Amino acid sequence: MNKLFANDSTMMEVIPLKTSEKDLSDKPAYERRFHVMAKPGGSKCNIDCQYCFYLHKEGLLHQPKQPQMDDETLERFIQSYIQSQDGDEVVFSWQGGEPTLLGIDYYRKIVALQKKYQPDGVTIQNDLQTNGILLNDEWCEFLKQNNFLVGLSIDGPAELHDKYRVTRSGKPTFHLVMKAVECLKKHGVPFNALTVVNRHNAKYLLEVYRFLTQELGATYVQFTPIVEPSNFKTTAPQFWSDSMLPKLGEELSKPGHPMSVVTDWSVDPDDWGHFLSVIFEEWVNNDLGRVLVNLFETAVAQTMGKPSQLCVTAEFCGKGLAIEHDGAVYSCDHYVYPEYQVGNVKDTELNKLVFSTCQEAFGMSKRESLPQYCKSCDHLNLCWGECPKNRLIRTPDGEVGLNYLCSGIKQFFDYSKPMLAGIAVLLQQNKINQ
C-alpha cells in the first residue's frame, strides 16, 4: 500500500463527501464539526517578529497593502461557518497578522452578523489572538461586553520576549504588551498566554514558565515550538526536496548550521525536550489543577485513553482550516500556500470544502505517511508524528517523514510517562481538581 502524503491531496478534486450534508435522521450517524482560523486582515501586522511564519504571505499570496475582508465576503463566511456545523456551540477565532488593525467597528460588525445568523439554542464564542499593542480601554470594554477570549502573544520576561518580538524599527515591545495585560485585567477580560518557544528562550525554561504563571498570572498557557524550514517563505510543506532532508541526529537536522534544514531561530529539538520535561515537573509539583498547559493537558487526556485535545497530537488532522481576507480557504493555518487552497467561500459553502475528498486526504495523510520508525515507537499514541509541517528529517535508516522534534518529544515522554500515568489514576479517583 502506497503512503498518502499531504501533498497528494492537492491533486484530488474537491468533491463533497456525504458527511458535508447535515444528517437529519432521528439518530444522526455523524456530526459536522470543524474549526476555521479567520484572517480577515491578511498578514498585515504592526510589529516585525523575526520568526513570524505569516508575514511573508503578503508577497506569496500577492496581498494588497491594506488587506481587509470586504463586507460581502465577511457575511458569507459567518453565515456559512455557522450553518455548516452541528452542535450547540460555534467558535470563531480571529487572527492575522494582527487582527486589531481592522479596528473595533469591524468587530462590532462581526458580532452583529453572528447574531443575525445565530440559530436558537446555539452559543457563539469568539477568541482573538493578538500581540496586544493596540488594546486600550475601549477595546477591552468591547471584548468584555461581547465575551471575547483573548490569546495574548508573549514569550517570557522582557529580555526574552524582546529578542525577536520587535517593532519594524527594531524597538522592544514587551512594555506595550504589559500595558495590554493591565488593561485586560482592569476590565476583567479573560486571556491566555500564547508563547512561542524558540532557540533562545528555550534555554531559560523556568524563567519563562514562572514569569507566565506567577508574574503575568496566566492560568492557561499555550506553548508552541517554532520550527521553520529554511525555505519556508517560498516552499510549501511536503513540497521540499526529499533528497535534501538530513537524518535524525545529523548536524544539518538542528539550527545553527549554515545549511541547516531549519532557520536559526527554530528551537533545537533536544532543547525542546528538556524544556518540556523541566516545566512538566514544575507544573506537577506546583500548578497541577491550577494552571492549564496545553501540551500537558492533552498528554494526560491521551494517557487516560481519551482523544487528543490538540490537532498536533491527534491521529488525524484536517478539521482546522484557515480563511484569508479574500475568502480563500486553506487546508490548515500552517499550510496557507497556493498548493493547499481548497476553494473560496465566495463560491462554495464551507461544509463542502471541509468535508471533501481533497481535505479528507489531507487529514488522513497525517497517519498514513508516518514512517515505520514512528509506527514502532512506544509513544505513538501520545504523539502521532506531531504536526506534519514539521516532518523535515529522515529516520536513522533513511525513511522520509520523521518529525524534526522527534528526539525532544521522545525525551519528554520517556521522562513524563510514569507521572502521566500517576496523574491519570488520581484523576480517575477524583483526587485532583479538574
Side-chain angles (χ1 to χ4, degrees):
M1 176 181 175
N2 293 327
K3 287 185 178 180
L4 179 66
F5 293 95
N7 57 6
D8 291 334
S9 66
T10 65
M11 297 182 289
M12 302 185 71
E13 291 185 64
V14 184
I15 301 173
L17 301 165
K18 176 177 173 54
T19 48
S20 69
E21 300 299 329
K22 185 175 180 64
D23 186 346
L24 298 175
S25 61
D26 292 337
K27 295 182 179 180
Y30 56 85
E31 239 188 17
R32 303 174 305 169
R33 300 301 298 272
F34 61 93
H35 182 256
V36 174
M37 186 71 72
K39 300 169 182 287
S43 64
K44 186 180 178 183
C45 192
N46 51 353
I47 62 175
D48 191 18
C49 302
Q50 185 178 355
Y51 60 57
C52 183
F53 76 98
Y54 216 79
L55 283 175
H56 76 283
K57 304 298 183 184
E58 178 183 4
L60 183 71
L61 304 180
H62 307 292
Q63 295 183 351
K65 291 286 186 183
Q66 302 294 330
Q68 178 173 307
M69 187 177 286
D70 62 47
D71 290 354
E72 183 179 353
T73 307
L74 180 65
E75 182 165 4
R76 171 79 170 173
F77 162 60
I78 289 173
Q79 179 185 15
S80 184
Y81 190 53
I82 293 172
Q83 294 178 352
S84 292
Q85 302 197 61
D86 303 322
D88 56 6
E89 182 180 74
V90 178
V91 179
F92 284 83
S93 295
W94 307 98
Q95 196 195 50
E98 175 48 46
T100 59
L101 288 170
L102 294 171
I104 297 178
D105 287 342
Y106 193 88
Y107 288 88
R108 291 192 176 109
K109 186 191 312 177
I110 285 172
V111 172
L113 287 170
Q114 290 172 339
K115 290 178 179 177
K116 178 179 177 179
Y117 293 104
Q118 181 177 10
D120 292 338
V122 172
T123 300
I124 292 179
Q125 304 284 353
N126 287 283
D127 59 72
L128 183 75
Q129 297 189 15
T130 175
N131 58 38
I133 290 177
L134 294 181
L135 296 185
N136 54 23
D137 286 333
E138 185 182 7
W139 261 109
C140 290
E141 287 171 3
F142 166 80
L143 295 170
K144 178 63 176 178
Q145 181 181 0
N146 292 283
N147 301 310
F148 272 66
L149 171 65
V150 171
L152 188 68
S153 296
I154 187 164
D155 289 352
E159 62 273 17
L160 300 177
H161 176 90
D162 289 334
K163 172 71 174 178
Y164 294 115
R165 300 188 66 82
V166 295
T167 66
R168 294 189 180 278
S169 57
K171 295 180 180 179
T173 62
F174 177 80
H175 64 292
L176 300 173
V177 180
M178 292 308 292
K179 284 185 178 179
V181 172
E182 292 177 10
C183 196
L184 290 167
K185 289 181 176 179
K186 173 184 173 182
H187 292 276
V189 180
F191 71 93
N192 299 335
L194 309 181
T195 301
V196 170
V197 182
N198 54 66
R199 189 182 176 196
H200 181 66
N201 68 355
K203 299 180 185 299
Y204 301 90
L205 47 166
L206 287 179
E207 289 90 336
V208 170
Y209 181 76
R210 288 172 180 170
F211 167 79
L212 296 173
T213 57
Q214 297 175 18
E215 295 184 47
L216 194 68
T219 55
Y220 182 93
V221 180
Q222 177 179 314
F223 287 121
T224 302
I226 189 73
V227 179
E228 287 175 345
S230 54
N231 59 356
F232 77 98
K233 291 186 178 180
T234 58
T235 305
Q238 278 76 51
F239 278 85
W240 43 64
S241 173
D242 288 346
S243 63
M244 301 297 290
L245 302 183
K247 289 184 181 180
L248 175 68
E250 289 183 347
E251 192 176 7
L252 301 188
S253 68
K254 295 191 175 187
H257 191 281
M259 298 296 290
S260 173
V261 73
V262 295
T263 58
D264 279 348
W265 52 82
S266 294
V267 66
D268 182 285
D270 295 329
D271 286 347
W272 174 239
H274 184 62
F275 180 96
L276 290 178
S277 299
V278 174
I279 289 180
F280 180 75
E281 182 175 342
E282 175 87 358
W283 176 73
V284 169
N285 289 335
N286 301 298
D287 296 321
L288 185 61
R290 184 184 73 85
V291 175
L292 304 181
V293 178
N294 64 334
L295 294 170
F296 303 158
E297 295 292 329
T298 193
V300 171
Q302 288 171 262
T303 299
M304 297 173 70
K306 297 180 179 180
S308 171
Q309 300 172 1
L310 305 172
C311 60
V312 293
T313 54
E315 186 174 1
F316 305 104
C317 61
K319 293 291 185 69
L321 296 88
I323 186 169
E324 256 291 343
H325 75 286
D326 58 356
V329 179
Y330 297 85
S331 288
C332 171
D333 181 31
H334 287 277
Y335 282 73
V336 179
Y337 291 82
E339 294 89 339
Y340 290 100
Q341 182 180 339
V342 293
N344 194 297
V345 74
K346 291 187 285 190
D347 307 318
T348 311
E349 293 292 340
L350 278 172
N351 57 300
K352 294 181 179 179
L353 297 176
V354 177
F355 301 99
S356 65
T357 51
C358 174
Q359 188 64 11
E360 182 186 42
F362 176 85
M364 292 290 289
S365 71
K366 185 178 194 292
R367 184 188 70 177
E368 299 304 317
S369 63
L370 284 172
Q372 187 58 42
Y373 188 81
C374 292
K375 293 177 181 178
S376 60
C377 178
D378 291 340
H379 309 312
L380 176 64
N381 289 339
L382 296 176
C383 170
W384 290 109
E386 212 253 355
C387 183
K389 79 173 182 69
N390 296 335
R391 296 179 184 178
L392 296 166
I393 61 175
R394 295 171 176 265
T395 66
D397 61 2
E399 192 175 2
V400 299
L402 186 63
N403 197 290
Y404 165 84
L405 295 169
C406 177
S407 61
I409 294 171
K410 274 194 169 187
Q411 178 186 339
F412 169 61
F413 285 127
D414 282 343
Y415 173 76
S416 66
K417 236 179 179 180
M419 285 183 279
L420 288 169
I423 294 169
V425 170
L426 292 175
L427 284 171
Q428 288 164 343
Q429 295 174 350
N430 295 316
K431 292 184 179 180
I432 298 178
N433 294 325
Q434 300 184 50

